[in-house]
């Protein structure tokens, strides 16, 4: 038996290690090469082309660069020219790819047959049917329900609906009605201004989750970090951030202080702060603010209601005013408790106003388009019309009320004569329709949007449609209306009008091409000064009497999921498998319970509770966390789909079922409800990736107080490497000698670079955009709920979250740390590999040669950071049990990275394919690689720019400078692993918290 | 490159011409294939070895009546050349 035959037998019998090992290069099956007959001019095989377009995963409208290889888009990155996201992108935006290539997309127009079964149609037939129904229903109620469409498509729908005598309703699950209503009452405008976090020096968020789903999370996180990160060279102080809310959200985790005020009393806290500022003349308040002074409640009055000491309120107010750059924002559940929640926004507006910040950190003018979204009341009015049989024809595009308003909408739908859906997936609303006309994915279509005043963002098809028999809804509407031309022509006609106004006499073709290249037109919107509405005085009477406004406990709050949003992300495996940044739970929803409550009710993690609100009942597994106020329970949105494809369907529970179907006073929805809680006695293992909830003093995350950080002189090293114990000295000496010898051999001789990374924990927020970027760049398999429960997730980059508290359990906070391969200089994984698959590269990486690996897993066992991941199954096998990329999801695989097989260990290599790519390019240009040429996927996505990569041997590189920063430390430096990643300690206002 | 002087050459040229007129791409059989876990940057090799260097790996295709593989394209063969020319032979130059 020769070696190859032996391996074959081994492979067949043990089904294990031989898959990728051995020589590998055996006779391959015959492959065919099919060339282009006419090569597209902008596609070079093997070279990526980038197209600028716009993200449509939420209303923020971030600019995208789509990376296209051989005619298929393989990665989405932020467009650095877009003023909204400045080249950064969140997990949801990156996962748009999995919407494009979703295996559950609707591929053809479908109609319900006589027995309710779905039948394929031709487009001519489908459009004919729709046109016939439109004709029939004219005058008998036609309604077009869309998502927020702030651009030409929305205008086309408006015009189309007008022509057929119907009405257009827009629906966004998170439409910020309270914010709009609060601004209207305080300033007389229902617009949503730009909050300039970058210029703020003191930030108070009353529940606003501006890093998750609030308005423009990527842009706000980016500018927040500019204000809130520590930079020793800077003269101004790092801004302080205070988070007020019943639940420590991702946004709250970045806070220097978390105040868990009693639910629904946040407005009183804001007003009392304003009172202190006015009464003490602490800030140059506008003249008309003076008359508020005696109307505002004093800290002494509100303290018992809010549940924090009056002195604390006074301190907050003084700090806010003294910073001369205060910014208060209100949002999240604080504006959605129910009736009267808009008063919080009024209170926050007053606070900003009396501190003289309106016009500075709060700027009306560059207004957010989401203020034009339909309110929840408009949706419920529509549902009432549907239920009353007043609507004969309902068309739905880009909205899924079948999930977000489950009971009421589904019932009402049965009263509608004919329902047409333009969905790309079988969501709940599409499944209940009569005719489905699948739209192109936003990455396949022409469109535009105006996410913020002054910004005209263009959307262009970045590739041919994945499913050729889908059609742009704009084209469908034009054909039904009997209009000539396509939606692209319509779009261009709109842009010609824009060109007339702002084109400055340029040729339109130039103007258009230019806009396409840059992703749109970006102009500064002129500022709009606002004054406090005199009517506020009456409102304050209401608030003053509030106090009784505090909600009863136990109170259940529903918070928006960062990854799944209102549920639209649930059909994308990257987002399902992305650990929630707070709970670290994947693939299912949970209910957050405070340890005291859990002790009282005798609950353990994973116990299933029956949550009964007046509106619905769900079964939810318990997750116990100190990051919630005792007496409050919290559940995320996003799961519990009844349809929506294989990844979303029948997963966990739908939190919307617990909410009232009636709009609150501000026209929005109450995201809180009183609940009765019943223990079921059932239990499940949470699909969590969390190890220990506490850092336990292991030196994984270091924290400095601001005062201490500012004292540090360059060259100081407060986290100096720990002393080597005596018994290890010999070993260290031997190692150093071996290194010396090694450095004279072959590739190791000379001065190769030493790739390194610096991660600034004063910037990292834990948002996990880097995690999704890594999945996209490196072909990481999503393993599914069952394997996550068995701790077999493949995430090369993970965000570790540790809770902190004072000795008495108060002052709870959280710290986060991105953990990836440290590319140790003295790596424990390397010497234990029997086949040299794990080895040290000359440029300082811990290389992992997949085709060499035989799967002993010794390396993973020996890794103190636990950043090596083993392929227990063949995730790439078409049709296999654990298939991670069912057709056509496999089209998003990065051709520059090997797809690993079963039995192989894999890990982060600082995106070695990008390093080699940059080196190849530099070689072609006869130069050496420059600092900044190489950006790993994680660093590129990071909305807070916390990750810096480069050559540590290059003294002038940014990463070398950061590695020498006094705040720098290495995780587990006591193990003498010599990591290439330097973490810069987090800096906090006040005393550093213990772990 | 097909010189075009013999009937068999003419037949091959006809194929290409038909592909162009019918806009149907010809299906070539792939001769030089590397497994999925190897990266080979052509441009970098051509940059160093010159534009006439194709034959180093592909043989003198011009003189071949039908293209066949002349080099094994196995790792040892790659490494031999890298050793002779004293260039890098780190695993992650090609394997990632």
């Amino acid at each position: 038996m020769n070696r190859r035959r032996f391996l074959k037998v081994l492979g067949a019998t043990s089904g294990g290690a031989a898959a990728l090992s051995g020589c590998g290069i055996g006779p391959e099956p015959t492959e065919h090469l099919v060339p282009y007959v006419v090569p597209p001019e902008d596609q070079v095989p093997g070279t990526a082309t980038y197209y600028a377009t716009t993200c449509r995963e939420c209303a923020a409208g971030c600019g995208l660069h789509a990376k296209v290889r051989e005619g298929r888009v393989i990665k989405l990155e932020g467009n650095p020219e877009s003023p909204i996201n400045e080249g950064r992108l969140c997990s949801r935006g990156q996962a748009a790819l999995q919407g494009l290539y979703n295996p559950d997309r609707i591929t053809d127009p479908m109609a319900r047959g006589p027995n309710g079964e779905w039948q394929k149609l031709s487009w001519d037939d489908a459009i004919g049917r729709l046109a016939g129904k439109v004709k029939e229903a004219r005058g008998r109620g036609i309604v077009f329900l869309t998502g927020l469409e702030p651009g030409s498509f929305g205008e086309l729908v408006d015009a189309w609906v007008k022509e057929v005598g119907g009405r257009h309703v827009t629906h966004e699950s998170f439409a910020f009605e309270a914010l709009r209503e609060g601004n209207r009452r305080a300033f007389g405008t229902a617009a949503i201004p730009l909050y300039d976090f970058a210029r703020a020096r003191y930030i108070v968020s009353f529940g606003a989750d501006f890093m998750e789903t609030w308005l423009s999370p990527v842009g706000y996180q980016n500018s927040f970090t500019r204000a809130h990160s520590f930079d020793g060279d800077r003269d101004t102080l790092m801004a302080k951030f205070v988070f007020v809310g019943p639940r420590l959200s991702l946004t709250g985790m970045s806070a220097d202080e978390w105040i868990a005020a009693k639910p629904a009393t946040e407005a009183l806290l804001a007003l009392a702060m304003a009172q202190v500022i006015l009464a003490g003349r602490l800030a140059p308040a506008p003249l008309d603010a003076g008359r508020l002074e005696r109307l505002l409640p004093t800290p002494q009055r509100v303290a018992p209601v809010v549940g924090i000491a009056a002195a604390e309120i006074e301190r907050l107010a003084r700090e806010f005013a003294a910073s001369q750059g205060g910014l208060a924002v209100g949002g999240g559940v604080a504006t959605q408790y129910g009736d009267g929640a808009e008063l919080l926004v009024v209170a926050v507006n007053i606070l900003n106003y009396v501190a003289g910040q309106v016009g500075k950190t709060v700027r009306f003018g560059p207004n957010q388009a989401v203020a034009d979204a339909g309110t929840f009341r408009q949706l419920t009015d529509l549902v009432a019309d549907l239920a009353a049989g007043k609507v004969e024809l309902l068309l739905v595009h880009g909205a899924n009320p079948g999930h977000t308003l489950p009971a009421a909408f589904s019932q009402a739908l049965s009263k509608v004569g004919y329902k047409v859906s333009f969905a790309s997936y079988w969501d709940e609303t599409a499944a209940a329709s009569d005719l489905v006309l699948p739209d192109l994915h936003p990455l396949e279509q022409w469109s535009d949007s105006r996410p913020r005043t002054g910004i005209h963002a263009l959307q262009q098809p970045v590739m041919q449609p994945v499913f050729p028999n889908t059609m742009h809804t704009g084209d469908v509407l034009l054909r039904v209306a009997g209009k000539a031309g396509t939606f692209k022509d319509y779009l261009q006609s709109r842009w010609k009008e824009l060109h007339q106004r702002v084109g400055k006499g340029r040729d339109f073709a130039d103007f258009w091409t230019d806009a396409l290249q840059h992703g749109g037109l970006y102009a500064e919107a002129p500022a709009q000064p606002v004054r406090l509405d005199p009517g506020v005085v009456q409102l304050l009477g209401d608030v003053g009497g509030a106090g009784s406004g505090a909600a009863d406990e136990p109170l259940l709050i529903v918070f928006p999921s960062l990854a799944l949003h209102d549920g639209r992300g649930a059909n994308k495996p990257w987002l399902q498998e992305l650990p929630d940044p707070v709970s670290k739970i994947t693939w299912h929803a949970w209910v957050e319970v405070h340890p005291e409550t859990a002790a009282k009710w005798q609950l353990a993690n994973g116990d299933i509770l029956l949550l009964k609100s007046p509106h619905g009942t769900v079964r939810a597994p318990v997750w116990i966390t100190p990051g919630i106020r005792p007496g409050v329970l919290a559940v995320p949105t996003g799961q519990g789909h009844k349809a929506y494809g294989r990844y979303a369907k029948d997963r966990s529970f739908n939190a919307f079922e617990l909410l009232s179907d009636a709009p609150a006073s501000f026209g929005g929805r109450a995201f809180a409800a009183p609940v009765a809680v019943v223990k079921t006695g059932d239990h499940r293992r949470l699909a969590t990736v969390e190890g220990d909830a506490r850092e336990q003093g292991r030196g994984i995350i270091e924290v400095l107080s601001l005062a201490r950080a500012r004292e540090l002189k360059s060259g100081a090293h407060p986290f100096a490497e720990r002393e080597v114990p005596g018994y290890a000295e010999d070993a260290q000496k031997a190692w150093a000698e071996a290194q010396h010898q090694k450095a004279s051999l072959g590739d190791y001789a000379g001065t190769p670079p030493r790739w390194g990374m610096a991660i600034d924990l004063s910037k990292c927020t834990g948002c996990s955009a880097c995690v999704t970027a890594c999945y996209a760049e490196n072909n990481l398999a999503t393993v599914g709920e069952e394997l996550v429960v068995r701790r077999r997730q493949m995430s090369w980059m993970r965000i570790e979250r540790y809770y902190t508290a004072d000795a008495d359990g108060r002052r709870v906070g959280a710290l986060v740390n991105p953990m990836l391969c440290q590319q140790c200089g003295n790596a424990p994984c390397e010497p234990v590999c029997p086949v040299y698959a794990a080895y040290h590269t000359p440029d300082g990486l811990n290389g992992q040669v997949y085709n060499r690996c035989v799967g002993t897993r010794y390396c993973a066992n020996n890794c103190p950071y636990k950043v090596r991941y083993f392929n227990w199954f063949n995730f790439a096998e078409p049709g296999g049990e654990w298939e991670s990329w069912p057709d056509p999801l496999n089209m998003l695989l990065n051709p520059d990275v090997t797809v690993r097989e079963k039995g192989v260990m894999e890990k982060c290599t600082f995106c070695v394919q990008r390093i080699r790519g940059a080196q190849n390019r530099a070689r072609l240009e006869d130069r050496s690689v420059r600092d900044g040429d190489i950006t790993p996927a994680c660093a590129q996505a990071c909305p807070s720019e916390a990750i810096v990569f480069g050559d540590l041997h290059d003294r002038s590189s940014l990463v070398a400078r950061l590695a020498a920063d006094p705040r720098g430390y290495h995780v587990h430096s006591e193990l003498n692993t010599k990591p290439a990643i330097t973490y810069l300690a987090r800096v906090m206002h006040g005393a550093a918290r213990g772990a | 490159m097909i010189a075009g002087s013999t009937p068999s050459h003419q037949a091959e040229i006809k194929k290409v011409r038909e592909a162009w007129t019918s806009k149907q791409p010809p299906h070539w059989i792939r001769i030089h294939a590397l497994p999925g876990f190897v990266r080979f940057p052509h441009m970098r090799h051509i940059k160093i070895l010159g534009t006439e260097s194709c034959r180093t790996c592909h043989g003198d295709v011009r003189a071949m009546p039908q293209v066949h593989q002349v080099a094994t394209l196995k790792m040892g063969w790659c490494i031999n050349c890298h050793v002779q020319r004293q260039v890098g032979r780190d695993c992650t130059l090609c394997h990632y």
Side-chain angles (χ1 to χ4, degrees):
Chain A
M1 185 184 274
N2 65 20
R3 183 166 172 273
R4 178 164 302 169
R5 172 88 186 115
F6 168 74
L7 285 172
K8 261 187 193 162
V9 174
L10 186 75
T13 50
S14 75
L20 252 179
S21 70
C23 310
I25 314 172
E28 302 255 325
T30 307
E31 282 182 54
H32 289 269
L33 295 174
V34 185
Y36 290 114
V37 179
V38 184
E41 60 179 322
D42 49 1
Q43 290 290 331
V44 179
T47 307
T49 314
Y50 291 80
Y51 296 98
T53 185
T54 303
C55 180
R56 298 304 304 275
E57 295 300 300
C58 78
C62 293
L64 290 182
H65 274 176
K67 181 182 184 184
V68 177
R69 275 286 298 269
E70 286 91 27
R72 60 192 172 90
V73 51
I74 57 164
K75 191 160 189 304
L76 297 177
E77 292 165 357
N79 178 356
E81 290 183 75
S82 166
I84 293 183
N85 56 326
E86 315 248 353
R88 309 286 154 173
L89 199 59
C90 70
S91 293
R92 276 200 312 279
Q94 298 180 63
L97 268 191
Q98 294 202 318
L100 172 71
Y101 295 125
N102 199 287
D104 299 312
R105 268 184 74 176
I106 306 174
T107 57
D108 300 89
M110 307 282 264
R112 226 179 252 289
N115 303 321
E117 78 287 4
W118 288 101
Q119 294 171 337
K120 275 188 194 177
L121 296 180
S122 73
W123 273 104
D124 286 340
D125 189 4
I127 289 173
R129 281 196 200 195
L130 177 58
K133 288 290 174 189
V134 169
K135 216 177 203 176
E136 268 175 42
R138 196 181 275 269
R140 292 165 53 203
I142 299 179
V143 175
F144 207 135
L145 177 65
T146 68
L148 177 68
E149 289 290 347
S152 302
F153 179 71
E155 287 162 1
L156 175 69
V157 172
D158 280 338
W160 188 88
V161 163
K162 205 170 157 200
E163 208 170 288
V164 301
R167 105 180 124 102
H168 178 193
V169 179
T170 61
H171 168 58
E172 283 290 325
S173 312
F174 311 131
F176 310 101
E177 293 92 343
L179 192 54
R180 291 142 68 181
E181 178 65 10
N183 287 346
R184 192 184 64 75
R185 299 181 89 166
F187 296 132
T189 168
I192 296 178
L194 180 72
Y195 296 97
D196 196 346
F197 286 90
R199 281 173 65 183
R201 305 262 53 89
Y202 195 96
I203 300 160
V204 186
S205 170
F206 295 88
D209 54 335
F210 57 83
M211 294 178 197
E212 290 142 283
T213 54
W214 194 72
L215 300 178
S216 185
V218 176
Y220 281 162
Q221 185 178 337
N222 185 281
S223 63
F224 165 79
T225 316
R226 278 165 209 267
H228 188 256
S229 61
F230 179 81
D231 181 349
D233 299 339
R234 198 171 55 179
D235 288 324
T236 48
L237 270 176
M238 165 181 152
K240 182 169 176 177
F241 175 34
V242 177
F243 185 77
V244 183
R247 171 179 179 268
L248 192 66
S249 63
L250 166 68
T251 306
M253 295 199 312
S254 287
D256 300 287
E257 258 180 69
W258 171 40
I259 297 173
K262 211 159 184 207
T265 64
E266 290 92 340
L268 293 177
L269 175 58
L271 290 175
M273 284 173 68
Q275 195 272 343
V276 175
I277 293 171
L278 269 184
R281 308 280 179 272
L282 301 176
L287 290 174
D288 56 344
R291 66 197 146 84
L292 293 174
E293 188 183 328
R294 61 188 174 74
L295 291 166
L296 294 171
T298 60
Q300 288 73 20
R301 239 197 72 205
V302 304
V305 187
V306 178
I308 59 172
E312 282 283 285
I313 301 177
E314 270 181 47
R315 175 181 62 84
L316 290 173
R318 282 176 194 285
E319 288 177 356
F320 188 83
S323 72
Q324 298 182 359
L327 169 61
V329 289
V333 75
T335 56
Q336 312 225 243
Y337 286 118
D339 288 346
E342 72 275 19
L343 290 178
L344 170 75
V345 180
V346 175
V348 164
N349 284 338
I350 290 174
L351 176 56
N352 285 323
Y353 198 72
V354 301
Q357 290 302 324
V358 175
K360 291 181 184 164
T361 53
V362 180
R363 288 208 303 277
F364 285 88
N367 295 337
Q368 311 263 359
V370 71
D372 299 328
T375 61
F376 185 64
R377 174 169 294 142
Q378 280 166 307
L379 182 70
T380 52
D381 287 351
L382 170 64
V383 170
D385 284 355
L386 300 183
K390 290 184 191 162
V391 177
E392 183 58 29
L393 176 62
L394 177 70
L395 305 108
V396 184
H397 177 274
N400 185 14
H403 175 71
T404 55
L405 192 62
F409 187 79
S410 310
Q411 280 162 24
L413 216 49
S414 59
K415 303 280 170 49
V416 180
Y418 200 71
K419 297 147 300 222
V420 182
S421 168
F422 295 96
S424 293
Y425 321 98
W426 287 110
D427 60 29
E428 288 80 350
T429 313
S433 308
D434 300 302
L435 181 66
V436 181
L437 306 172
D439 192 8
L440 296 175
H441 188 272
L443 289 168
E444 300 167 333
Q445 61 177 225
W446 288 101
S447 197
D448 65 351
S449 69
R450 294 185 290 274
R452 191 162 98 196
T453 314
I455 295 176
H456 297 263
L458 258 181
Q459 230 176 294
Q460 60 173 321
V462 300
M463 66 181 284
Q464 291 288 314
V466 177
F467 297 103
N469 208 22
T470 50
M471 195 187 282
H472 196 311
T473 301
D475 291 347
V476 175
L477 296 184
L478 288 168
R479 278 181 64 181
V480 169
K483 296 267 182 355
T486 61
F487 183 74
K488 187 189 173 190
D489 302 328
Y490 179 83
L491 179 70
Q492 278 191 324
S493 74
R494 307 295 303 171
W495 276 70
K496 276 178 186 148
E497 287 168 27
L498 182 67
H499 170 245
Q500 302 248 308
R501 275 186 284 133
V502 301
K504 298 195 189 104
R506 283 169 72 197
D507 184 42
F508 177 72
D510 282 355
F511 175 80
W512 174 257
T513 314
D514 200 44
L516 270 184
Q517 277 176 356
H518 299 286
L521 292 181
Y522 312 114
E524 285 278 328
Q528 241 175 35
V530 290
R531 298 230 67 84
L532 202 62
D533 194 296
V536 159
V537 174
Q538 274 99 53
L539 273 180
L540 285 182
D542 306 352
V543 185
S548 58
D552 294 333
E553 293 176 343
L555 178 76
L556 178 102
I557 60 174
V558 174
F559 63 91
S561 160
L562 168 125
L564 309 180
H565 202 260
D566 60 352
R568 63 184 72 171
N571 65 343
K572 301 172 183 76
W574 284 344
L575 297 180
Q576 286 280 9
E577 190 140 319
L578 180 73
D580 180 86
V582 178
S583 72
K584 297 288 146 195
I585 292 173
T586 64
W587 290 99
H588 65 87
W590 63 92
V591 54
E592 298 184 1
V593 181
H594 190 270
E596 284 174 19
T597 319
K600 200 166 71 191
W601 295 345
Q602 299 201 321
L603 298 175
N605 273 338
D607 283 355
I608 309 278
L609 291 185
L610 207 60
L611 303 174
K612 290 185 185 174
S613 88
H615 316 287
T617 305
V618 302
R619 287 164 58 86
V622 168
W623 176 61
I624 300 169
T625 166
I628 192 158
R629 188 186 156 87
V632 176
L633 306 173
V635 294
T637 58
Q639 299 284 18
H641 281 274
K642 300 275 183 291
Y644 206 36
R646 68 192 75 177
Y647 299 110
K649 191 168 181 284
D650 297 331
R651 207 166 267 296
S652 216
F653 62 90
N654 181 358
F656 287 113
E657 287 175 10
L658 294 167
L659 299 179
S660 165
D661 292 341
S665 62
F666 49 92
R669 188 174 202 175
F671 272 59
V675 280
V677 178
V678 182
K679 277 172 75 171
T680 61
D682 293 346
H683 184 87
R684 66 155 292 163
R685 276 179 79 174
L686 299 175
T688 175
V689 302
E690 183 183 39
D692 196 326
R694 304 277 172 172
E695 199 249 9
Q696 314 281 21
R698 288 174 287 173
I700 297 170
I701 304 183
E702 301 284 4
V703 183
L704 290 169
S705 69
L706 179 62
R708 177 102 171 79
R710 284 174 66 84
E711 278 168 11
L712 291 174
K713 298 279 182 302
S714 128
H717 285 286
F719 307 111
E721 315 284 302
R722 286 167 212 204
E723 244 177 66
V724 182
Y727 60 82
E729 256 172 38
D730 286 348
Q732 281 221 12
K733 228 178 264 166
W735 175 74
E737 266 166 35
Q739 285 295 297
H740 188 69
Q741 212 181 8
K742 213 173 156 189
S744 64
L745 298 173
D747 286 353
Y748 296 83
T751 51
R754 161 93 158 111
W755 302 119
M757 194 178 262
I759 301 179
D760 190 341
L761 299 183
S762 82
K763 293 183 175 172
C764 177
T765 65
C767 73
S768 305
C770 51
V771 177
T772 306
C774 186
Y775 271 78
E777 173 72 19
N778 291 305
N779 300 338
L780 299 195
T782 47
V783 300
E785 183 173 355
E786 187 188 334
L787 290 191
V788 175
V789 169
R790 283 149 77 179
R791 298 299 175 104
R792 288 175 177 182
Q793 70 276 6
M794 306 293 284
S795 159
W796 292 359
M797 176 133 198
R798 62 174 188 262
I799 306 286
E800 296 184 344
R801 184 265 303 119
Y802 299 108
Y803 282 110
T804 59
D806 282 358
D808 59 355
R810 301 286 145 194
R811 280 169 52 84
V812 171
L815 301 170
V816 289
N817 183 7
M819 183 52 68
L820 62 162
C821 176
Q822 305 286 307
Q823 317 291 346
C824 303
N826 180 22
C829 54
E830 288 163 5
V832 296
C833 180
V835 295
Y836 296 103
Y839 81 108
H840 208 68
T841 74
D843 43 1
L845 303 176
N846 304 132
Q848 175 70 13
V849 187
Y850 303 126
N851 45 312
R852 238 190 157 144
C853 177
V854 296
T856 63
R857 294 182 281 126
Y858 295 167
C859 53
N861 289 337
N862 218 30
C863 173
Y865 304 95
K866 295 292 162 241
V867 287
R868 290 177 155 268
Y869 299 88
F870 188 66
N871 284 274
W872 289 93
F873 299 101
N874 194 348
F875 297 105
E877 184 188 356
E881 187 184 359
W882 305 101
E883 188 182 15
S884 181
W885 302 280
D887 192 50
L889 261 184
N890 52 359
M891 284 168 85
L892 56 73
L893 289 171
N894 183 357
D896 288 336
V897 177
T898 306
V899 178
R900 281 79 59 185
E901 277 196 49
K902 176 161 139 179
V904 171
M905 188 63 72
E906 59 179 66
K907 66 180 274 291
C908 161
T909 48
F910 280 166
C911 287
V912 64
Q913 67 280 6
R914 292 191 177 205
I915 297 177
R916 299 296 174 241
Q919 285 173 328
N920 289 344
R921 273 192 303 281
R923 197 82 177 91
L924 291 186
E925 294 165 17
D926 291 315
R927 59 176 175 87
S928 49
V929 175
R930 288 183 292 249
D931 192 32
D933 273 2
I934 308 168
T935 315
C938 52
Q940 186 178 42
C942 180
S944 40
E945 305 181 33
I947 305 176
V948 173
F949 176 85
D951 178 8
L952 293 169
H953 284 171
D954 173 5
R955 291 291 166 108
S956 62
S957 73
L958 179 58
V959 70
R961 188 167 69 76
L962 291 173
D965 191 285
R967 284 194 291 137
Y969 71 96
H970 296 138
V971 175
H972 293 333
S973 60
E974 72 277 13
L975 300 176
N976 191 36
T977 49
K978 309 277 182 221
I981 298 184
T982 306
Y983 291 92
L984 305 189
R986 179 156 171 196
V987 178
M988 297 190 74
H989 284 264
R993 290 182 298 218
Chain B
M1 183 108 24
I2 302 164
S5 51
T6 66
S8 70
H9 286 170
Q10 297 283 356
E12 293 298 315
I13 291 173
K14 194 156 168 267
K15 273 190 207 167
V16 178
R17 189 169 285 161
E18 271 168 13
W20 175 254
T21 47
S22 66
K23 299 290 179 228
Q24 287 302 314
H27 285 231
W28 305 115
I29 290 174
R30 183 169 189 172
I31 303 296
H32 296 93
L34 288 178
F37 48 79
V38 187
R39 318 281 145 206
F40 180 84
H42 273 95
M43 69 293 196
R44 205 167 159 168
H45 288 86
I46 294 167
K47 166 93 180 171
I48 297 301
L49 302 173
T51 47
E52 289 296 302
S53 62
C54 309
R55 65 182 69 193
T56 316
C57 312
H58 293 285
D60 189 2
V61 173
R62 255 181 258 196
M64 291 182 194
Q66 191 173 35
V67 179
H68 60 271
Q69 192 171 334
V70 295
T72 64
L73 303 188
K74 289 193 177 183
M75 194 172 91
W77 173 83
C78 294
I79 291 290
N80 269 343
C81 198
H82 275 232
V83 170
Q84 277 166 23
R85 293 173 195 274
Q86 297 189 330
V87 289
R89 51 205 158 92
D90 174 39
C91 310
T92 55
L93 289 184
C94 317
H95 297 300
Y96 46 84

